[in-house]
């Protein structure tokens, strides 16, 4: 049946779905940030980029490339964690508040884990082509540890071929951890976003870094 699915061009979830271990590692990133001495290897190389009232931004080089991994830590006091989390998940609502979204659809879901394949097309500054992402995501609400986790990473999907009008981004990864100050439905929480992608631009490294840093700040304010 597996070979039949491959022959028919169907998406095979084995090896592509986000497993529990990935969610666990993502949740641990918040602990690493708050107690770097307990995780010295993982916390090496982060460079401060920006600090504002509601968030701080760091970056560190990705070995073997001219790109950076980014990390945002922030807090809000006037919205509940569940509201913030639901905005992350609601693809239809994002089309309303994010003017850069050209397309954002759930393609299919994994009944075993709840993982979803998403197709996302976003505008880039003129005269660049828009960027095209295909990624799998999974979320978890952990009442015991008082955490919400959302993990996304790029995948290949046979049902979503490349479009010559967009540039396909094949390297993309995002980890969001939300920790309520009290409960999931009470105002106030901290969040940690760790993010990297390769948008395949020809800009110098410093220019691309500035674009991502300023764009990240603008996106979090919109969100």
């Amino acid at each position: 049946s597996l070979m039949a699915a491959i022959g028919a061009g169907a998406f095979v979830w084995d090896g592509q779905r986000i497993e529990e271990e990935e969610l666990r590692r993502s949740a641990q990133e918040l602990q690493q940030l708050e107690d770097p001495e307990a995780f010295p290897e993982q916390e090496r190389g982060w460079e401060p980029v920006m600090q504002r009232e509601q968030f701080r931004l760091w970056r560190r080089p990705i070995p073997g490339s001219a790109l950076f991994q980014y990390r945002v830590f922030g807090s809000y006091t006037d919205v509940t964690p569940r509201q913030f989390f639901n905005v992350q998940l609601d693809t239809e609502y994002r089309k309303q508040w994010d003017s850069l979204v050209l397309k954002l659809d759930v393609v299919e879901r994994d009944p075993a884990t709840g993982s979803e394949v998403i197709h996302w097309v976003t505008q880039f500054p003129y005269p660049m082509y828009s960027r095209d992402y295909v990624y799998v995501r999974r979320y978890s609400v952990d009442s015991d540890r008082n955490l919400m986790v959302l993990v996304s990473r790029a995948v290949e999907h046979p049902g979503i071929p490349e479009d010559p009008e967009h540039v396909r981004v094949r390297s993309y990864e995002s980890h969001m951890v939300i920790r309520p100050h009290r409960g999931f439905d009470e105002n106030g929480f901290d969040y940690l976003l760790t993010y990297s992608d390769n948008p395949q631009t020809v800009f110098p490294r410093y220019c691309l870094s500035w674009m991502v840093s300023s764009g990240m700040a603008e996106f979090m304010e919109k969100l």
Side-chain angles (χ1 to χ4, degrees), residues 146-190:
N146 204 34
L147 291 176
M148 295 168 152
V149 182
L150 174 62
V151 176
S152 304
R153 54 173 163 76
V155 294
E156 298 285 342
H157 193 292
I160 313 174
E162 290 190 58
D163 186 325
E165 295 186 1
H166 315 306
V167 175
R168 176 63 54 88
V169 177
R170 299 190 181 278
S171 177
Y172 164 71
E173 194 167 340
S174 173
H175 305 256
M176 171 76 81
V177 184
I178 299 170
R179 182 180 57 196
H181 293 166
R182 290 174 294 276
F184 293 134
D185 296 300
E186 298 180 70
N187 284 354
F189 62 91
D190 302 324

Side-chain angles (χ1 to χ4, degrees), residues 108-127:
E108 62 179 285
R109 293 181 174 86
D110 173 31
T113 64
S115 297
E116 299 174 320
V117 174
I118 309 292
H119 185 204
W120 172 35
V121 183
T122 184
Q123 289 181 342
F124 261 51
Y126 180 83

Side-chain angles (χ1 to χ4, degrees), residues 8 10 12 14 22 29 47 60 69 73 79 85-86 98 127 153 155 158-159 169 189-190 198 212 220 223:
V12 179
D14 289 345
E22 290 184 68
E29 290 178 3
E47 168 194 358
R60 68 178 175 185
Q69 183 182 32
F73 177 78
V79 66
F85 194 56
N86 286 342
D98 188 350
R153 54 173 163 76
V155 294
V169 177
F189 62 91
D190 302 324
N198 181 1
V212 173
M220 295 311 298
L223 181 61

Side-chain angles (χ1 to χ4, degrees), residues 29 33 43 46 56-58 70-73 192-194:
E29 290 178 3
L33 175 65
E43 292 309 296
W46 288 104
R56 289 174 285 163
L57 173 66
W58 298 264
Y70 293 87
R71 167 181 279 177
V72 184
F73 177 78
L192 177 66
L193 171 64
T194 306

Side-chain angles (χ1 to χ4, degrees), residues 47-59 70-73 209-218 221:
E47 168 194 358
V49 175
M50 184 183 301
Q51 182 165 342
R52 295 192 178 180
E53 183 178 357
Q54 290 186 321
F55 70 89
R56 289 174 285 163
L57 173 66
W58 298 264
R59 69 179 185 184
Y70 293 87
R71 167 181 279 177
V72 184
F73 177 78
S209 177
W210 176 83
M211 289 174 61
V212 173
S213 299
S214 60
M216 182 79 74
E218 181 181 357
E221 288 174 356

